[in-house]
């Protein structure tokens, strides 16, 4: 069994989280510039076994997708061409940035560390992945 990898896709950066090989626990991995995401994934996949990826689905309270969804769909198309054997799942990412900010504020990190946007993206990806795992268990 390989890992699951989650991406909190953004216009500037992407938060990345992965599971352990047993797919039990999600952990933050990194934050990557969006323009470098495929290069990062190619290197990561060459060193690790990943069964599928989970990409956040940016929807608002009314169920409307945000404008970044157009970029995400283009990325998914490129991803499938580059990595045809890896499945792509989508998962609702509503409130993940707010939850990430809250968890970071409770972690005891300094104000400067808490405001680091890359950390929020990485924690958001971790929340997406952990929620995906929990739903999969049900």
């Amino acid at each position: 069994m390989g890992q699951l990898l989650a991406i909190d896709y953004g216009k500037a950066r992407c938060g990345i989280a992965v599971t352990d090989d047993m797919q039990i626990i999600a952990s933050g991995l990194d934050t990557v510039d969006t323009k470098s995401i495929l290069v990062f994934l190619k290197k990561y996949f060459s060193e690790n076994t990943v069964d599928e990826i989970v990409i956040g689905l940016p929807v608002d309270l009314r169920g409307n997708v945000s404008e970044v969804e157009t970029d995400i769909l283009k990325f998914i198309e490129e991803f499938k061409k580059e990595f045809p054997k890896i499945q792509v799942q989508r998962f609702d990412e509503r409130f993940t940035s707010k939850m990430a900010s809250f968890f970071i504020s409770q972690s005891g990190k300094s104000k400067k560390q808490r405001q680091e946007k890359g950390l929020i993206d990485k924690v958001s990806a971790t929340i997406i992945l952990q929620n995906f795992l929990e739903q999969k268990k049900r």
Side-chain angles (χ1 to χ4, degrees), residues 33 37 56 76 82 89 95 132 134 138:
D33 287 336
I37 187 72
I76 291 171
E82 189 74 36
Q89 303 288 340
F95 304 117
F132 179 82
E134 289 170 14
R138 291 184 212 149

Side-chain angles (χ1 to χ4, degrees), residues 13-134:
R13 334 164 268 289
C14 297
I16 313 286
V18 294
T19 64
D20 56 299
D21 289 337
M22 298 296 293
Q23 298 181 3
I24 297 171
I25 298 170
S27 302
L29 178 65
D30 208 344
T31 304
V32 180
D33 287 336
T34 298
K35 51 186 176 267
S36 306
I37 187 72
L38 287 173
V39 172
F40 174 88
L41 293 173
K42 189 178 285 191
K43 183 177 185 323
Y44 189 82
F45 294 162
S46 73
E47 299 166 357
N48 300 275
T49 302
V50 176
D51 290 341
E52 59 187 310
I53 67 164
V54 180
I55 301 174
L57 179 63
V59 292
D60 64 20
L61 291 174
R62 294 186 177 140
N64 301 316
V65 294
S66 74
E67 64 182 52
V68 75
E69 178 66 7
T70 305
D71 296 331
I72 293 171
L73 292 173
K74 287 178 189 170
F75 166 72
I76 291 171
E77 199 174 297
E78 291 175 40
F79 180 89
K80 286 180 176 181
K81 284 179 189 169
E82 189 74 36
F83 310 105
K85 294 183 179 174
I86 299 176
Q87 276 192 314
V88 176
Q89 303 288 340
R90 300 298 303 276
F91 196 79
D92 187 342
E93 66 175 49
R94 252 179 283 205
F95 304 117
T96 55
S97 293
K98 285 186 182 4
M99 287 190 295
S101 294
F102 173 75
F103 291 142
I104 293 166
S105 73
Q106 300 299 304
S107 71
K109 298 214 179 274
S110 71
K111 184 175 182 178
K112 185 175 182 182
Q113 289 172 314
R114 289 192 312 256
Q115 292 174 336
E116 182 188 323
K117 293 194 185 288
L119 178 60
I120 292 171
D121 295 333
K122 183 168 51 173
V123 173
S124 293
T126 307
I127 293 168
I128 291 167
L129 188 53
Q130 191 63 48
N131 289 342
F132 179 82
L133 288 171
E134 289 170 14

